[in-house]
Amino acid sequence: MKLFLKNLLFALFLSICNISVAQNNEIVISGILIEEASNQPIPYATIALYKKSSKGIITGTTTDNNGKFQFSTTKTDFYIEISFMGYATKTISDFSIKNAKIDLGTIRLAEDNEALEEVVVTGNVSKTVFKLDKRVFNIGKDISSTGASALEVLNNVPSVNVNIEGEVSLRGSSGVQILINGKPSVLADESSNALGTITADMIESIEVITNPSAKYEASGTAGILNIILKKEEKKGWNGSISLNTGIPDNHSIGISLNRRTEKFNLFTQIGAGYRSLPRDNEAINTNLTSNEVVFSEGTEYRDETFYNITLGTDYHINDYNVLTLSGNFAYEIEDQPSETNFRFFDSNNTLVSSWLRDETTEATNPKYQYEFNYKKQFKNNEDHSLQLSALGRFFGKDQESQFTNTTITGSDSDSKQQTETNFQQADYTFKIDYTNPISEKYTIETGAQYVINDVGNDYEVRDFTGINYVVNEDLTNNFEYNQKVLGVYFTGAYELEKWGIKAGLRIENTDLETLLTNTNESNSQNFTDYFPTFHTSYKVSENVSLQAGYSRRIFRPRLWDLNPFFNIRNNFNIRQGNPDLQPEFTDSYELTSIYKIGKASFSSSLYHKYTTEVIERVSSSIDNVTTTTPENIGTNASIGFETNGKYSPTKWLTLTGDFNYNYFDRVGTFEAESFDFSGRQWSSRLGTKIGLPADIDVELTGRYQSSFETIQGDISGYGFLDLGIRKKIIKGKAVVNLGIRDLFESRIQESYVYQPTFETYSFSQRGRFITLGLSYGFGKGEAMTYSGGRRR
C-alpha cells in the first residue's frame, strides 16, 4: 500500500514537471477576498486590472472557493478593481512590488445596501456552483418547499429525482449514497425513514457528486448527495420561530437558537408537530394460465406525532484548533389506519368473492445521534489541516399491527392476523483526514475510515385460529445483519490558474455477516476492492470551462435487500429480500462543459456508466400471489446527456431548467430466462421565480419523468407542478409562505409486469399538499420555516 502511494505521488509529480513557469518579467498578483461583516471568503468575485491612462482592461481573474486569487501581468501602469454583486466595488491603486510580486493580503468587501435591495429576488434563487469533482447546489429560499422535508428539496436539485416511495435516484439511477455534512447520518438512513426530520430551512447546500474522488466512501453506484446543514456564524444571539399548518393535516412549530462568542458557538433546533400522510393504492394481479384476476384498492395512512431536538457546540481552542460536539434526538409515534378492498374474479370474469382488509398499526421510533469532531489547521496554510471524527447513531422501531379480513360477498374470507416488529440499528463511523497543500499548485490528501453497521430485525406473524393467535413459522423470522468496512485513500492534485488535475485511489475491505436465526441460515462475505478516481478541469475563458472525471463505485446490498422477510400488508403482493445478493460495481465516466452567454449560464454533460452484477427486482407468481425479490442479473451499459441552465433577463424574473436523457443496454440471464433488452428514459424540470411589488415572490416549478422499460415490464411517466407564494412583513423579519405541491394531483407511480404466465399492475398516488407557514427571526437571525417535518 505504502509503495503504491509513493509511486502514485512520484508519477504525478513526474507528469507535470515539464509545465512551464511564469516568465521572469511577469508580475504575480495575489490575495484573499473576504466579507467584511462575517469574515467569510467570497468565491467567484471579479478581480480586474485596468490601464491608468486609458481605463482599458488589461486582464483579470475570479476568486476560488476559498476567496483566493492569483494571476500575472507584464504591465506596470495599472490599478486593481474588485467587484461582486451585492458588495461595494473596491479600487486599489496604492501597492508595492517586491520580487516581481504584489501581495494584497486580506481584502474586505462591504455589503452595498442599495445593491442588495435591488437584487433581493435573484439573491434568493438557488444556484449551482461547479468545483473540480462536484457540483454545489446552494439552497435559496425556494417558496414551494416551505415546511417541506429534505426529500422535497432534493427533488428540486438538478439531476436528482425522488419518487412517491421516497426512493432517491441520480440521473435515473438508484444506489445513491446520502451524507450529512460529509458523513453518514441517522438522518439520512433509508431504513429509518428519517430524511423528513431535515427541513428546507436547515439546509445550506447540497453537493451533487456523480464521480466522487477517492476521499469519499465508495458506496453508491449512482454517486453521492452530500447535504450541508446551516451553521450560524453571526456573533451574539440569533434565532427564529416558525409555525406551519396544512392540508392534509400538517401542523408544526419549530425554534432555532444560536449563541456565538469568540470561543464558543452554541446551537440548538427544536421541533414538534403532527402530520397525516395518505396514499391511494391500486393493484391488479392477472393469472394468464387460469384467467383469474385479483383486484385490490384502498388508502394507506401514516399519521405521525413527532418531536426532535438538536444540540451542539463548537469550541475554538485557538485560531488553529476547533472541537465540535453535537447530538440529535428524535421520537416519532406512528398510527397507520389503512383499508384495502379485494375482489376475486374467475376465468369467466364472474365475481367469486370480495372482502375488506383493515390494518391498524402503531409504532414508536426513537433515534439519536452523537458526534465528536476535532480539526487542526496548521500555521503555514489555512488549508493544511488534520481532522478526526467519531460518529454514533441509533434507530429503533417497536411496531405492532392488527389485520382483519371481513367478507363482503361470496366465499368466506374472514381471517385475522397480527404482526410484531422489533427493529434496532446501531452504526459507528471513525474517520481521519489529512490535507496538505505542499505549494500553491500541489495538494495531497490522505485518510482512513472505519464503519460498523449492526442491525437486528425480529419479525413475528400470528394467525387467529378461532380461539387464539398462533405464530406462523413460515412468515416469522429474526434477521441479524453485521457489516464492517475499512477504507484508506490517497489523492494528489495539481492546479494552475486555468488547468487542474486530481487523481486518487481508495482501498476498501468489506466484512459482512447475516444470520436468519429461526432457520440458522447464514451468509458470510469478505472482500477487498480498489477504487481509482481521476478528475481534470480546464478554463478555456472567463465564460467557458471543461471538466472530465472517472470513478469506480460499489453498491452494497442493504438490510432490506438481504432480509427474506415477508410484508403481509397485501397478501397478494409481497416483497422479500435475498440473503445471497452480491454487490454491484460501476465504472463511471463523465465530460462536462460550463459556459455563460450574456445573462444565462449553462452546463452540459456526457456520461457513460458500466455496471456489473446489477441488482434488479424480479417478480414471480404462484396462486395469484406476486412475490418480488432482488436478484443479481447481468450488466447494464448506459450513455447519457444532461444539461441545465439559469437565465435572469431582468431583476424580477429568473428561469431555471434541466434536462437528462440516457440510453441503456441490459444484458443478463436468470433461471434460463434472457433479460437482454435496450431502453431509454428522460426527465426535465422547468422553474421560474417572479418578484412582484410589495415584497411578494411567486415561484412555479414543473417536472416531468418519462416512462421507461424494466426487465419484466415498464414504468409509466408522469408530470407535476409545484406553486409557492411568499410575502415579507415587518421589514423582512417575518415571512408568510404558501406552498402547494403537486398542484394538479398528477404525481403518480404506475408500473406493469408482463410475463408469459402472469401480469401485474400497481398504482399509487400521494395527492396535493398545501402548507401555510409564518416565521419570524429575532436577534441577528432571519425568518425561516423550520417545522421539524417528516417526508411526504
Side-chain angles (χ1 to χ4, degrees), residues 345-361:
F345 292 83
D346 63 16
S347 58
N348 297 318
N349 199 30
T350 302
L351 179 64
V352 175
S353 62
S354 63
W355 65 97
L356 182 67
R357 183 172 177 82
D358 283 311
E359 174 189 355
T360 301
T361 295

Side-chain angles (χ1 to χ4, degrees), residues 292-592:
E292 295 172 335
V293 181
V294 177
F295 290 88
S296 63
E297 57 184 352
T299 302
E300 297 176 4
Y301 292 88
R302 190 171 69 239
D303 300 336
E304 300 174 339
T305 302
F306 52 89
Y307 312 89
N308 59 62
I309 181 171
T310 298
L311 293 170
T313 181
D314 299 317
Y315 173 51
H316 296 262
I317 302 172
N318 51 42
D319 291 341
Y320 302 102
N321 295 272
V322 180
L323 285 175
T324 299
L325 292 172
S326 64
N328 172 272
F329 175 78
Y331 191 79
E332 299 162 358
I333 303 171
E334 292 185 8
D335 183 20
Q336 300 181 19
S338 301
E339 186 177 272
T340 305
N341 286 285
F342 288 86
R343 289 174 293 155
F344 175 63
F345 292 83
D346 63 16
S347 58
N348 297 318
N349 199 30
T350 302
L351 179 64
V352 175
S353 62
S354 63
W355 65 97
L356 182 67
R357 183 172 177 82
D358 283 311
E359 174 189 355
T360 301
T361 295
E362 296 179 350
T364 56
N365 306 327
K367 51 189 167 217
Y368 56 84
Q369 177 174 305
Y370 46 88
E371 181 179 2
F372 165 81
N373 190 81
Y374 166 70
K375 183 175 183 179
K376 176 179 178 57
Q377 291 178 296
F378 294 88
K379 294 182 179 180
N380 67 319
N381 191 313
E382 63 179 11
D383 294 326
H384 187 188
S385 64
L386 173 69
Q387 189 162 333
L388 305 172
S389 66
L391 173 72
R393 49 190 175 137
F394 171 84
F395 170 70
K397 178 182 282 290
D398 188 0
Q399 178 175 294
E400 293 184 352
S401 299
Q402 174 77 48
F403 297 91
T404 303
N405 285 3
T406 304
T407 301
I408 299 175
T409 61
S411 59
D412 185 7
S413 301
D414 290 354
S415 65
K416 292 182 179 180
Q417 287 180 303
Q418 291 178 341
T419 66
E420 185 174 347
T421 302
N422 183 10
F423 175 87
Q424 293 187 335
Q425 176 176 343
D427 302 314
Y428 306 94
T429 303
F430 305 93
K431 287 186 68 178
I432 179 170
D433 296 290
Y434 175 71
T435 302
N436 187 356
I438 299 173
S439 68
E440 293 180 352
K441 299 177 182 178
Y442 299 98
T443 300
I444 61 171
E445 296 175 308
T446 188
Q449 175 176 281
Y450 186 53
V451 180
I452 303 172
N453 309 117
D454 191 3
V455 187
N457 186 69
D458 191 353
Y459 181 71
E460 184 177 87
V461 178
R462 298 183 290 270
D463 296 325
F464 188 64
T465 62
I467 301 175
N468 53 20
Y469 283 93
V470 177
V471 174
N472 186 328
E473 299 293 348
D474 292 333
L475 302 180
T476 295
N477 69 79
N478 183 14
F479 190 72
E480 297 179 356
Y481 168 97
N482 185 275
Q483 179 176 266
K484 303 180 181 69
V485 179
L486 173 64
V488 294
Y489 74 89
F490 176 84
T491 71
Y494 175 77
E495 291 187 78
L496 297 173
E497 181 182 343
K498 290 190 174 183
W499 179 71
I501 186 173
K502 185 175 185 178
L505 177 69
R506 187 178 187 93
I507 302 173
E508 289 189 349
N509 173 260
T510 303
D511 183 10
L512 173 64
E513 301 281 347
T514 66
L515 175 65
L516 192 61
T517 59
N518 51 321
T519 60
N520 207 33
E521 295 178 52
S522 63
N523 180 26
S524 178
Q525 299 181 32
N526 191 299
F527 50 89
T528 300
D529 297 291
Y530 298 84
F531 302 95
T533 64
F534 176 83
H535 299 84
T536 185
S537 66
Y538 180 72
K539 188 174 183 179
V540 180
S541 67
E542 291 299 319
N543 295 323
V544 180
S545 298
L546 299 175
Q547 295 175 333
Y550 162 78
S551 66
R552 179 171 169 79
R553 310 289 296 163
I554 183 174
F555 176 76
R556 299 180 181 87
R558 300 155 296 188
L559 170 74
W560 304 117
D561 298 317
L562 299 170
N563 187 2
F565 81 101
F566 291 80
N567 184 336
I568 66 169
R569 169 169 283 174
N570 185 328
N571 283 327
F572 288 88
N573 292 281
I574 296 171
R575 288 189 179 185
Q576 64 180 97
N578 176 6
D580 297 321
L581 209 58
Q582 299 297 308
E584 287 183 350
F585 290 91
T586 294
D587 290 283
S588 178
Y589 308 81
E590 182 174 354
L591 176 63
T592 299

